[in-house]
């Protein structure tokens, strides 16, 4: 049963922020490349980061490069590809090498997509994503295609997200990214707060909870490890703006001032 969760409390200067992007801060689009970032958002995140001594990381399924392009001029510490690549506060990037077999999986999925209009295979380099947002009736065949493509390779895992099945090296997730950030400045010694919307964010919620922090689910209520809930992206932006000592106003583009 889905429990009713309270709204998150007002922010504390001692928090460290871990923010998912799609479905949490920006609207999900028909394809990953079709999203739009409201102009005030990078400024709001910059301001929120400054209020917390730089302890703000974006934790996303997108690649680091993609995050940088979307959020420019804000270029925060970030975990891309669900934690497979991380950029720390000093700009150093760590990329995990994928286990063997990714090329075979990619080839098999590319073949499956050819036979199924509406499925979109996104190649993220170290990970793959099979999207069925444009053909929701293909969810089961997409799932079967991924399971078949993975075969018995223990090095990879399937991650079911919103209208997408992701393939990524096993054992790395948004939770491991949070734990890694929390060992280093400016995050260490702070209280982690993970904010996300998707099933893949549950790893981040659990890590934040276990580290004595807070977790906030954005959007549709569901069974979750999150402690708090915000109704939608607008509510999330408003809460973050208050935490940054400002107000969110997407219409005027003056959210950060
Ligand atoms: Mg999301």
């Amino acid at each position: 049963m889905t429990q009713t969760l309270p709204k998150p409390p007002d922010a504390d200067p001692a928090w460290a922020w871990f923010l998912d992007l799609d479905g949490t801060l920006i609207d999900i689009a028909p394809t990953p490349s079709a999203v739009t970032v409201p102009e005030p958002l990078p400024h709001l995140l910059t301001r929120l980061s400054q209020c917390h001594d730089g302890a703000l990381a974006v934790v996303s399924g997108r690649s680091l490069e993609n995050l940088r392009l979307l959020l420019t001029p804000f270029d925060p510490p970030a975990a891309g590809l669900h934690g497979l690549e991380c950029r720390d506060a000093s700009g150093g990037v760590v990329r995990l090498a994928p286990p063997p077999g990714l090329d075979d999986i990619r080839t098999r999925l590319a073949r499956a997509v050819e036979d199924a209009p509406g499925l979109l295979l996104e190649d993220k380099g170290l990970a793959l994503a099979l999207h069925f947002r444009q053909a929701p009736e293909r969810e089961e065949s997409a799932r079967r295609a991924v399971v078949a493509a993975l075969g018995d390779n223990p090095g990879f895992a399937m991650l079911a997200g919103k209208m997408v099945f992701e393939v990524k090296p096993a054992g790395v997730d948004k939770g491991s990214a949070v734990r890694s950030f929390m060992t280093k400045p400016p995050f260490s010694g702070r209280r982690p707060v993970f904010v996300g919307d998707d099933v893949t964010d549950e790893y981040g919620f659990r890590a934040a909870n276990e580290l004595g922090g807070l977790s906030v689910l954005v959007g549709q209520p569901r069974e979750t490890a999150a402690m708090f809930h915000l109704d939608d992206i607008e509510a999330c932006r408003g809460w973050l703006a208050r935490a940054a000592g400002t107000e969110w106003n997407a219409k005027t583009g003056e959210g950060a001032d």
Side-chain angles (χ1 to χ4, degrees), residues 29 104 115 120 141 145 151 169 172 218 223 228 236:
D104 287 347
D115 299 337
L120 172 72
S141 59
V172 183
V218 178
E223 197 60 47
F228 300 99
C236 182

Side-chain angles (χ1 to χ4, degrees), residues 40 44 47 237-238 240-242 244-250 254-257:
L44 168 61
R47 185 164 171 149
R237 290 165 173 170
L240 296 180
R242 282 194 300 283
T246 181
E247 283 180 15
W248 174 258
N249 189 341
E254 292 181 352
D257 298 310

